[in-house]
Amino acid sequence: MKETPLSNCERRFLLRAIEEKKRLDGRQTYDYRNIKISFGTDYGCCIVELGKTRVLGQVSCELVSPKLNRATEGILFFNLELSQMAAPAFEPGRQSDLLVKLNRLLERCLRNSKCIDTESLCVVAGEKVWQIRVDLHLLNHDGNIIDAASIAAIVALCHFRRPDVSVQGDEVTLYTLEERDPVPLSIHHMPICVSFAFFQQGTYLLVDPSEREERVMDGLLVIAMNKHREICTIQSSGGIMLLKDQVLRCSKIAGVKVVEITELIQKALENDHKVRKEGGKFGFAESMANQRITAFKMEKAPIDTSDVEEKAEEIISEAEPPSEVVSQPVLWTPGTAQIGEGIENSWGHLEDSEKEDEDEGGSDEAVILDGVKMDPGVEVSNIGSQARRALSVGFPRKGYCSGLPFPLSGNAPIVLSDSEEEEMIILEPDKNPKKIRTQTISATQVKAASKRPVKKRKKKRAAN
Amino acid sequence: MAEAAGVPAESPAGCRARAARTVLDQVVLPGEELLLPEQEDGEGPGGAGERPLRLNAAARSRGRVVCGPGLRRCGDRLLVTKCGRLRHKEPGSCSGGGVYWVDSQQKRYVPVKGDHVIGIVTAKSGDIFKVDVGGSEPASLSYLAFEGATKRNRPNVQVGDLIYGQFVVANKDMEPEMVCIDSCGRANGMGVIGQDGLLFKVTLGLIRKLLAPDCEILQEVGKLYPLEIVFGMNGRIWVKAKTIQQTLILANILEACEHMTTDQRKQIFSRLAES
């Protein structure tokens, strides 16, 4: 698509506004737009938003043979792409000038400044080195692509972790991410580009021009600097004549801006590192705001809770009690053990014991709630804990098979044998029955549990 | 989506059609079919096409129902083609059955005949100007389509000027054509827009909201500063106030009106009125 042409009245208005030191979005002459940095779930993936200009950066690495004349250095590769979604004027064939200019500037800024230690990327001299590839995609164009792209590149490089490698003699071991933690790149300093737009033959200057300001500007000066006030790259385009003191002034401004931006980057990297270490949620989905009007919004709908109690009681009375679970491991045969609830046991098939045990089921379970008083009118707030106990009344569902008694005292694993020759021993049920649920092992229940040995029964799931 | 209270009927496509009047002001999605009031009765509980007896036969308006943007005639029903809220306007005089349309939101403009738009002149070639209106093609504007223009007396239009005009031809098969005079030959506000001022772009829905007859925003803005403002249906607004600062404030307010609630807006206006 062709670019929307700039009308005369817009151009005139913008130039007049700049003469009066007014910008369209209300910024001051030296103000940057809001910079927002968010990280993805992978290491080395980040999105940088400079106002509405968005750039996505992704770093990846690969082991390759080094260049012949630089046998001990790793290889760096930078690539900036102007996606078609960034502006209607960006079409696959039509952006070459701008693209070449931006790519060259980015390369000079990052490669020639030696911000990354390429010697540390060497694994085996002359044979294997790391190739680090930085891919930048412009997602939305609202002016000042070069600044956003340089920030995205350096943030992605600082965030990236490469797999660990160890060399012992002739053996090179490349550890996967599970074996050893990945290692960050060795970065000496952070060069950041700052753009200055000039108007009316250099009389007025603006920092961080937006898209409309870029359309009416006469020339552009880009200074890439790090926080130690070292200039990495300087480029002037548009053919304007700049005076020496103008350039010096711009470099002073750039120094101040770069320090601010570097602080912001450090903070963002630290935050992300902290979140990852603490096991919190990270990634692009988490950094999206939820309560904005443009985000998906759900309105609250009032719910009628007047008959919750009756409904809850209904559910309780009709529900079946949960299956029995044991917290100690149950050893079926040497070499196999089971902890907690599980699917039906297929190891031992003890049909004799089944029928005997089923009679006793009712009586056992009914004893459970001796220690627990159940209110007929259950309060909604306590429904959780009391319901669980209430549910144990009635015939419980048993999940697993066993034919033998097992003592629940102590922590010794329970050994069962599926030999059908042994006699079944039924122990006397104690006064305080135990029925434990693994999820809510409260103090009272555990105490009760330790006293009661019980037989495990097999109940086929299908019968339920 | 909520189930409609109206009687659902099976269409040949197999989807349920709802009565249009039960979904007024609700969100409809493309592909839905809507029944007009006449057809509802025919398929009601009486069934089999019988029309229930009515005591006051004059109460039913049987006129033609106009199918507005976002809707399309499909057999004897209305088919929704855009997602948005369904609206209805009663007929003023008792002719016709009113207008149904879908209020949707988009930023990309498609030329429609009769729309007044703001265009930017991109080229001057012989007898016509090429004007960019934000659509897929630039519209053509003849130099004779200005008030008082003759072959000797050409209008003073340069490349890059802003033009306010309306479409006389706008369909998907032909290049759109616009003119700056109305059917009587008078300018009626159209023509070249003045030299100063600021042009900015908003969504199409906001423009329609601002151009509604009883729009509060415009009245409040008018009370703030004296201003000149032109709204183009292609999403472009041209605004001019006495000073650059005021113009910028107005432009930012109008852009922000999209996402502000009424209270927030009133707050901002009252704050501006004080300062």
Side-chain angles (χ1 to χ4, degrees):
Chain A
M1 251 185 73
K2 268 179 94 168
E3 234 176 21
T4 314
L6 190 69
S7 57
N8 296 342
C9 101
E10 272 182 284
R11 180 186 299 269
R12 229 185 315 245
F13 183 86
L14 280 167
L15 289 174
R16 265 183 56 200
I18 290 169
E19 284 169 24
E20 294 184 18
K21 306 256 195 268
K22 300 226 192 305
R23 297 176 85 161
L24 282 187
D25 41 12
R27 286 188 279 159
Q28 299 296 321
T29 322
Y30 299 151
D31 277 353
Y32 253 82
R33 288 170 282 184
N34 265 342
I35 302 180
K36 181 165 162 307
I37 303 177
S38 51
F39 296 96
T41 42
D42 289 339
Y43 279 115
C45 182
C46 73
I47 287 187
V48 170
E49 293 179 44
L50 179 63
K52 289 203 198 139
T53 304
R54 298 176 83 192
V55 178
L56 166 77
Q58 175 74 57
V59 179
S60 51
C61 67
E62 205 190 0
L63 274 177
V64 296
S65 326
K67 294 195 184 139
L68 292 173
N69 52 347
R70 297 258 189 268
T72 53
E73 286 182 13
I75 302 178
L76 290 173
F77 185 68
F78 302 98
N79 185 31
L80 169 69
E81 278 177 23
L82 303 176
S83 154
Q84 275 86 60
M85 65 174 116
F90 290 157
E91 273 176 30
R94 259 211 240 167
Q95 345 148 351
S96 37
D97 275 351
L98 180 63
L99 195 60
V100 166
K101 192 174 103 152
L102 292 171
N103 268 306
R104 275 300 297 144
L105 190 50
L106 208 59
E107 276 212 33
R108 276 166 45 207
C109 167
L110 292 167
R111 194 197 294 276
N112 298 359
S113 64
K114 306 228 188 300
C115 61
I116 302 177
D117 182 13
T118 44
E119 302 268 340
S120 69
L121 297 174
C122 177
V123 176
V124 176
E127 287 175 30
K128 284 284 179 215
V129 297
W130 283 111
Q131 177 187 27
I132 304 288
R133 188 195 164 99
V134 182
D135 285 299
L136 300 162
H137 294 263
L138 181 69
L139 300 177
N140 192 35
H141 176 34
D142 197 29
N144 206 3
I145 304 175
I146 187 64
D147 283 16
S150 76
I151 297 177
I154 203 64
V155 166
L157 283 167
C158 289
H159 191 244
F160 180 63
R161 306 269 183 271
R162 65 166 171 83
D164 197 6
V165 171
S166 74
V167 180
Q168 278 154 346
D170 277 340
E171 231 182 65
V172 177
T173 329
L174 175 67
Y175 296 104
T176 62
L177 296 170
E178 288 87 29
E179 288 170 12
R180 273 210 205 164
D181 276 344
V183 163
L185 298 176
S186 151
I187 296 184
H188 295 309
H189 61 97
M190 295 208 244
I192 296 183
C193 293
V194 177
S195 307
F196 300 88
F198 287 95
F199 304 86
Q200 313 280 41
Q201 279 80 47
T203 326
Y204 303 99
L205 90 82
L206 289 181
V207 176
D208 185 20
S210 67
E211 205 240 333
R212 288 223 247 185
E213 289 161 359
E214 275 186 355
R215 288 236 205 151
V216 297
M217 70 183 176
D218 286 337
L220 184 72
L221 174 71
V222 179
I223 301 183
M225 223 192 222
N226 61 24
K227 70 174 183 192
H228 309 292
R229 302 187 56 86
E230 297 165 336
I231 293 187
C232 309
T233 294
I234 189 164
Q235 166 167 312
S236 160
S237 55
I240 42 164
M241 301 300 194
L242 288 176
L243 302 170
K244 186 176 73 169
D245 58 336
Q246 277 179 318
V247 177
L248 283 175
R249 195 158 45 108
C250 289
S251 64
K252 285 205 193 79
I253 300 171
V256 169
K257 291 295 165 196
V258 163
V259 165
E260 286 170 16
I261 297 177
T262 312
E263 264 178 42
L264 184 71
I265 295 177
Q266 300 280 28
K267 244 197 304 189
L269 285 167
E270 268 170 35
N271 274 349
D272 182 74
H273 184 63
K274 206 166 55 152
V275 168
R276 277 179 208 251
K277 212 158 58 149
E278 288 166 6
K281 294 198 190 156
F282 49 87
F284 291 131
E286 297 305 322
S287 55
M288 284 198 320
N290 275 337
Q291 300 304 323
R292 293 219 303 243
I293 197 169
T294 50
F296 180 59
K297 196 164 100 124
M298 284 251 280
E299 285 173 2
K300 300 186 203 174
I303 302 176
D304 184 17
T305 54
S306 49
D307 59 350
V308 164
E309 292 187 17
E310 290 87 29
K311 284 231 155 104
E313 285 183 27
E314 269 176 44
I315 297 173
I316 292 166
S317 53
E318 288 166 21
E320 292 180 14
S323 52
E324 200 178 285
V325 288
V326 189
S327 64
Q328 288 155 323
V330 174
L331 199 69
W332 296 108
T333 56
T336 70
Q338 176 179 342
I339 302 178
E341 212 170 50
I343 52 172
E344 195 173 87
N345 184 332
S346 53
W347 283 101
H349 204 69
L350 301 157
E351 281 158 336
D352 310 323
S353 49
E354 245 188 74
K355 293 166 206 162
E356 291 171 2
D357 301 336
E358 282 185 12
D359 304 336
E360 321 223 350
S363 56
D364 282 342
E365 285 17 274
V367 194
I368 295 174
L369 292 179
D370 269 359
V372 179
K373 289 251 178 347
M374 197 181 81
D375 294 332
V378 181
E379 282 173 28
V380 177
S381 53
N382 285 337
I383 206 99
S385 52
Q386 296 204 357
R388 274 183 227 116
R389 297 178 199 195
L391 286 170
S392 338
V393 180
F395 216 74
R397 221 188 318 179
K398 303 292 169 73
Y400 24 85
C401 156
S402 133
L404 297 174
F406 63 100
L408 287 170
S409 57
N411 295 323
I414 303 133
V415 183
L416 301 154
S417 101
D418 54 358
S419 151
E420 298 187 59
E421 295 162 0
E422 287 188 23
E423 237 187 348
M424 314 280 287
I425 307 170
I426 304 172
L427 298 181
E428 292 286 325
D430 275 358
K431 280 208 193 128
N432 294 330
K434 61 72 199 117
K435 296 310 177 251
I436 323 175
R437 284 183 55 91
T438 44
Q439 287 103 322
T440 55
I441 301 189
S442 59
T444 51
Q445 286 172 326
V446 168
K447 239 190 319 178
S450 57
K451 293 189 191 162
R452 166 152 169 81
V454 115
K455 258 193 322 198
K456 307 297 300 152
R457 276 169 221 95
K458 172 178 174 180
K459 191 172 210 156
K460 290 212 190 329
R461 287 263 160 188
N464 297 339
Chain B
M1 284 191 310
E3 283 296 299
V7 177
E10 288 297 321
S11 75
C15 58
R16 303 166 117 209
R18 303 192 271 171
R21 63 180 163 76
T22 58
V23 268
L24 280 184
D25 288 343
Q26 285 181 36
V27 173
V28 289
L29 295 181
E32 280 191 37
E33 294 194 4
L34 300 172
L35 296 170
L36 293 171
E38 299 156 341
Q39 291 139 17
E40 272 177 67
D41 290 343
E43 293 162 12
E50 291 170 14
R51 287 220 212 94
L53 278 179
R54 290 185 159 270
L55 288 179
N56 45 348
R60 299 246 324 122
S61 61
R62 301 278 177 80
R64 237 174 6 136
V65 167
V66 178
C67 188
L71 293 173
R72 201 181 270 207
R73 275 253 127 96
C74 163
D76 55 354
R77 300 172 183 202
L78 293 178
L79 183 69
V80 178
T81 54
K82 281 219 166 119
C83 64
R85 288 190 175 202
L86 185 70
R87 306 272 192 219
H88 173 60
K89 183 172 150 189
E90 293 295 328
S93 51
C94 290
S95 64
V99 192
Y100 283 96
W101 75 93
V102 177
D103 241 351
S104 58
Q105 181 65 286
Q106 66 181 52
K107 284 183 174 178
R108 182 65 61 92
Y109 177 67
V110 174
V112 168
K113 182 172 163 183
D115 262 2
H116 292 252
V117 294
I118 297 180
I120 305 173
V121 179
T122 52
K124 215 157 76 155
S125 65
D127 289 345
I128 55 167
F129 303 111
K130 284 280 181 226
V131 179
D132 170 89
V133 293
S136 54
E137 282 185 272
S140 69
L141 168 64
S142 162
Y143 77 97
L144 290 173
F146 290 83
E147 182 174 12
T150 61
K151 290 211 173 105
R152 300 263 177 94
N153 181 14
R154 287 174 175 246
N156 182 15
V157 175
Q158 310 302 325
V159 171
D161 278 352
L162 289 179
I163 300 267
Y164 183 63
Q166 65 177 344
F167 285 112
V168 291
V169 171
N171 51 43
K172 60 183 167 68
D173 303 312
M174 292 165 59
E175 177 193 52
E177 291 175 26
M178 59 189 286
V179 292
C180 289
I181 49 174
D182 60 7
S183 46
C184 307
R186 279 195 285 262
N188 207 11
M190 295 189 271
V192 179
I193 298 180
Q195 294 308 310
D196 294 322
L198 176 63
L199 178 77
F200 58 97
K201 195 163 185 326
V202 295
T203 58
L204 306 186
L206 180 65
I207 295 273
R208 289 194 295 258
K209 188 161 90 166
L210 291 170
L211 283 176
D214 49 354
C215 178
E216 294 176 348
I217 307 178
L218 266 194
Q219 290 162 6
E220 293 173 18
V221 162
K223 285 192 217 133
L224 267 186
Y225 313 116
L227 79 161
E228 284 179 60
I229 194 163
V230 177
F231 294 103
M233 293 295 286
N234 51 350
R236 294 183 182 163
I237 303 182
W238 177 84
V239 73
K240 175 176 168 186
K242 279 220 190 96
T243 67
I244 300 238
Q245 176 75 347
Q246 288 177 358
T247 314
L248 283 175
I249 291 176
L250 290 168
N252 281 317
I253 289 181
L254 288 172
E255 275 174 346
C257 270
E258 177 109 44
H259 298 294
M260 281 201 289
T261 61
T262 316
D263 298 325
Q264 287 169 333
R265 204 183 61 226
K266 290 206 202 297
Q267 261 182 0
I268 294 198
F269 274 113
S270 55
R271 255 196 292 156
L272 280 172
E274 289 161 26
S275 59

